[in-house]
Amino acid sequence: MIGMKQKWLCEVVTQHSLQNRESYWLLTYLLEHETILKNVHFVERCAATPRGLEINLNSAYEPFVFYKNGQAFFDYHQIFHEIRLHWQDDLYVEIKLERPSEHLYYLAVLEGNPYIDSVEQEKEWDAFFHELHRERQWHVVNRALDQGDIQTFQNVLSQLDSALN
C-alpha cells in the first residue's frame, strides 16, 4: 500500500499544478518519508478526523488546511511541524481535485473515513460510484458518436435517460 500512496502523491506533485510551493513541500515531505506515509490515510471529509490535512488543487479554495480536533490551521510552518513532530499519529489526507474518478491511484488509495457515520459514508460511496458509472456511459456515448455507431449510441442514451428520470 505504501507504493500506491507514493505513486498517487508523485502523480499529484508532477501532474497537477499546485496553488503554491508550500502545498508542494507538504506533499513531497510525505512522499519522501515512508515512516510517516505508513500512518497516512487518504479519505474524504478529513475535517471530521482528529488530524486531517486538506490539499486543494482548485484555486477557489484555501491551498491547504490542517484540522486538529475540530480546529483549522492555515500556517504552513505550524502544519509542517505538527506533521513532523507527531509522525507516529494517524494523518488523514484529503486531496480535493476535479473529476477524482479519473485518477486510478486516487481510487486505489482512498479509504473509508472511520470518523463518518457508516450509513452516511455508504450513501457517499453509492453516489460516487453512480457518478463514475454515468461518466463511463457518457464516454461510451461520445465514442459511439465518433465511430458512427447509432445502435450503441441509442442504447446507452436510453440507459442514461432512464437513470436521470
Side-chain angles (χ1 to χ4, degrees), residues 18-26 76:
L18 299 169
Q19 290 186 50
N20 58 29
R21 64 179 180 245
E22 289 86 357
S23 296
Y24 175 82
W25 292 339
L26 287 168
Y76 163 76

Side-chain angles (χ1 to χ4, degrees), residues 12-106:
V12 171
V13 168
T14 59
Q15 296 180 13
H16 296 277
S17 55
L18 299 169
Q19 290 186 50
N20 58 29
R21 64 179 180 245
E22 289 86 357
S23 296
Y24 175 82
W25 292 339
L26 287 168
L27 292 175
T28 54
Y29 183 77
L30 294 176
L31 178 62
E32 293 170 355
H33 292 83
E34 282 189 30
T35 53
I36 296 174
L37 206 51
K38 288 178 185 176
N39 296 321
V40 168
H41 308 278
F42 291 96
V43 298
E44 293 179 333
R45 297 181 42 202
C46 72
T49 67
R51 286 180 78 231
L53 175 63
E54 180 180 297
I55 302 284
N56 291 300
L57 301 182
N58 184 340
S59 61
Y61 302 102
E62 285 290 327
F64 51 83
V65 182
F66 185 80
Y67 299 97
K68 184 168 183 178
N69 299 322
Q71 189 173 4
F73 300 91
F74 302 93
D75 179 62
Y76 163 76
H77 297 290
Q78 189 175 11
I79 295 168
F80 174 75
H81 289 297
E82 169 63 31
I83 293 170
R84 187 179 61 82
L85 292 174
H86 301 282
W87 60 269
Q88 73 282 4
D89 296 339
D90 286 332
L91 177 64
Y92 298 90
V93 177
E94 177 179 8
I95 298 179
K96 293 192 171 220
L97 63 158
E98 292 183 27
R99 297 181 303 281
S101 60
E102 294 178 4
H103 303 277
L104 296 179
Y105 290 125
Y106 170 76

Side-chain angles (χ1 to χ4, degrees), residues 109-121:
V109 299
L110 186 63
E111 301 177 32
N113 188 331
Y115 298 94
I116 297 177
D117 179 26
S118 61
V119 173
E120 185 179 337
Q121 194 164 356

